[in-house]
Amino acid sequence: QVRLVESGGGLVQPGGSLRLSCGVSGNIDVIQVMGWHRQAPGKERELLATIARGGSTNVADSVKDRFTISTNNAKNIIYLQMNNMNSEDTAVYFCHAFRKVGIVTYDYWGQGTQVTVSS
């Protein structure tokens, strides 16, 4: 089993920065990809960024000039650095882990952390 716990959310002013953290525990060696998603009120959940076990990253075009995903050396914490934030970044942010065994896929989610961008 894999457990994900997000932290770092809160209120930030427009133009400000915030770094989210996701602590990963359990059988982390089986995880192949981790990522960050967000869901704004009335909108579908949106994939923001992923980081693979080997370290390769992908960031959505909509945020790639402002958001960065990274991990610590132990790969048990992943970060989402968000810069130059605006009101459209207001959402609940979720950490996600993925593994695939044969044709069976496993998805793990954190409980989410609220981010509000407002003056």
Side-chain angles (χ1 to χ4, degrees):
Q1 191 57 274
V2 174
R3 184 167 179 254
L4 308 175
V5 179
E6 303 98 335
S7 61
L11 177 65
V12 60
Q13 291 188 340
S17 298
L18 205 61
R19 188 175 80 161
L20 303 181
S21 300
C22 174
V24 188
S25 61
N27 195 7
I28 64 174
D29 290 340
V30 303
I31 297 171
Q32 293 155 324
V33 180
M34 295 200 64
W36 286 97
H37 301 241
R38 70 184 178 188
Q39 188 164 19
K43 294 188 177 181
E44 294 187 354
R45 192 168 292 192
E46 174 189 11
L47 173 62
L48 298 173
T50 61
I51 183 164
R53 185 164 186 81
S56 61
T57 61
N58 281 288
V59 181
D61 288 342
S62 59
V63 297
K64 69 186 310 178
D65 57 341
R66 301 185 297 119
F67 290 11
T68 304
I69 188 170
S70 62
T71 184
N72 65 343
N73 289 336
K75 293 184 171 54
N76 59 1
I77 304 175
I78 64 166
Y79 303 100
L80 184 69
Q81 177 68 42
M82 303 183 288
N83 299 323
N84 192 22
M85 299 181 71
N86 58 63
S87 59
E88 293 185 351
D89 296 321
T90 294
V92 179
Y93 285 69
F94 297 91
C95 181
H96 171 247
F98 170 85
R99 65 181 284 229
K100 184 177 180 182
V101 181
I103 62 171
V104 181
T105 60
Y106 300 85
D107 290 278
Y108 306 94
W109 293 92
Q111 82 287 352
T113 185
Q114 175 69 46
V115 172
T116 302
V117 183
S118 176
S119 56

